[in-house]
Amino acid sequence: SPACLRSSGTKRRQVAALQIGNALTGPCSYFAAHRPTVYTSLGVRLNRIGRSSWLAAIAFTLWTAWVLKTYVPLSLRPFFHSWRDMLPRQIPLALTQPWIADLAVVLILALAAVCVGGWFLERLRIADMNATERFIFSAAAGFAILVMTASALAVPGWFRPTPLRILLAAFTLAGCLSLPRTVPHLRAFAREVWMGLRREPLAWIPLALTALFCWFALIRAAAPETSFDAVMVYLPYPQEFLRRGTFSLVELYRGNIPLYGVVYFALGEVLHGESGARMLNYLTLPGVLLATATLARTACRGLSRPVFYTSLAVCWVASCPILGYQASICYPDLGVALWSTLALQATMR
């Protein structure tokens, strides 16, 4: 009958449409059906690759060798001559080297900053931190207190060498008085680093390369200043402020030049001229590396080798040529990078 013919035609059209739909959506439906298997096998492969850290270490070592060949002229041979010139043949005369004495004074000042900054964090009741985070944030808080107090001396016109030396002496004395309360935290920091390296001995390789790059930057920091901006701006400005005894405080927050960095360099010049300023600026390099370690540790939570990946990130940062250059000249960019990294870490926490 006509009704049966219409019914059979409708069924044939429905079957044909279904076949066409299956032909068009077949690959998508197959991928949708097998997607968990594909993703699972990919995750297993990535996990196997992540476990083979020795291959990553070898590749990273080859990359570092290429960097040394590319960015360091004639490889490491010129640096051996620099080492012989910097280190005296008679060990008792080592303390007579100006840059060694300046570095020792700067390290004592850094220890005082850790002690004073740790006391300040305790007053703010900020305790939800691991040992590494407490160490770097205590040092940053201590130096912030020192720089802002030195800037405040410009209000009555006391931004001069003698008041600043008195401030540095008082700051160091306050750090020494707070040292007994800081020693347990320093021990916890050393224990945390040592236990992490014992669990993952492979992390020693990137740290050894990091120490090598830091030594290269120290060699350049011990040499006389040759940077145009430092010679024309960032060293003469502190001298001008020290001569006048004051400066416009609004420029600390407005302008193209971050004058808190100029105050930081003025403290170095009060310690021992240009060499003291360069060593104080070099101190920001280990600060950046410690801030990188805390940031990488937060990002590497849940991974199979967090200590190795953290040390790898620190080595990548230390091997950056522009970073070593900024650590060896009186330029405030490395300090800005340090504060930005700490701000990001505090935001993530």
Side-chain angles (χ1 to χ4, degrees), residues 189-203:
F189 169 66
R191 188 183 307 112
E192 184 176 279
V193 174
W194 175 250
M195 294 302 295
L197 293 175
R198 286 191 62 182
R199 289 193 303 269
E200 302 180 30
L202 196 61

Side-chain angles (χ1 to χ4, degrees), residues 70 72 76 189 214 218 248 327-328:
T70 305
V72 182
L76 302 179
F189 169 66
C214 290
L218 180 60
S248 179
S328 61

Side-chain angles (χ1 to χ4, degrees), residues 2-275:
C4 292
L5 290 177
R6 287 194 299 269
S7 176
S8 60
T10 302
K11 290 182 179 180
R12 285 196 298 271
R13 286 193 296 269
Q14 290 177 352
V15 171
L18 183 61
Q19 291 177 352
I20 294 174
N22 290 335
L24 293 176
T25 61
C28 298
S29 61
Y30 175 82
F31 178 75
H34 294 78
R35 182 170 53 187
T37 305
V38 172
Y39 283 169
T40 303
S41 61
L42 181 60
V44 172
R45 293 177 183 177
L46 290 178
N47 193 15
R48 291 176 180 175
I49 294 175
R51 292 177 181 176
S52 59
S53 300
W54 283 103
L55 296 178
I58 294 174
F60 184 74
T61 303
L62 294 176
W63 177 86
T64 305
W66 177 81
V67 169
L68 293 176
K69 285 287 186 180
T70 305
Y71 291 99
V72 182
L74 299 179
S75 188
L76 302 179
R77 185 169 299 176
F79 289 96
F80 292 122
H81 300 288
S82 300
W83 292 342
R84 296 192 187 101
D85 295 335
M86 291 177 60
L87 300 178
R89 297 181 180 179
Q90 298 181 8
I91 300 302
L93 296 178
L95 295 180
T96 62
Q97 299 295 316
W99 70 272
I100 295 180
D102 294 336
L103 181 61
V105 172
V106 166
L107 291 178
I108 294 174
L109 188 64
L111 179 60
V114 172
C115 297
V116 175
W119 171 84
F120 183 70
L121 293 180
E122 289 178 358
R123 299 284 76 80
L124 295 179
R125 297 182 180 179
I126 301 177
D128 187 17
M129 294 183 294
N130 55 49
T132 305
E133 290 176 337
R134 179 182 175 80
F135 182 82
I136 182 60
F137 277 102
S138 297
F143 274 110
I145 293 173
L146 179 61
V147 171
M148 296 182 72
T149 306
S151 302
L153 292 178
V155 177
W158 294 349
F159 194 82
R160 296 185 183 276
T162 300
L164 288 178
R165 290 192 179 101
I166 296 175
L167 173 63
L168 290 172
F171 184 80
T172 305
L173 180 60
C176 293
L177 295 178
S178 304
L179 183 59
R181 303 179 59 179
T182 310
V183 168
H185 299 291
L186 296 178
R187 290 178 178 175
F189 169 66
R191 188 183 307 112
E192 184 176 279
V193 174
W194 175 250
M195 294 302 295
L197 293 175
R198 286 191 62 182
R199 289 193 303 269
E200 302 180 30
L202 196 61
W204 281 103
I205 298 177
L207 290 183
L209 296 173
T210 301
L212 186 63
F213 286 113
C214 290
W215 178 247
F216 291 162
L218 180 60
I219 292 176
R220 295 193 294 267
E225 185 64 71
T226 58
S227 173
F228 176 81
D229 290 336
V231 173
M232 298 300 296
V233 177
Y234 294 109
L235 289 179
Y237 272 32
Q239 297 172 3
E240 179 67 19
F241 291 165
L242 292 173
R243 186 185 63 84
R244 294 170 51 191
T246 185
F247 52 87
S248 179
L249 294 180
V250 71
E251 297 297 338
L252 292 174
Y253 311 99
R254 178 179 64 85
N256 296 326
I257 301 174
L259 292 190
Y260 275 127
V262 176
V263 175
Y264 185 69
F265 295 148
L267 294 174
E269 292 195 1
V270 165
L271 289 175
H272 191 230
E274 176 187 317
S275 179

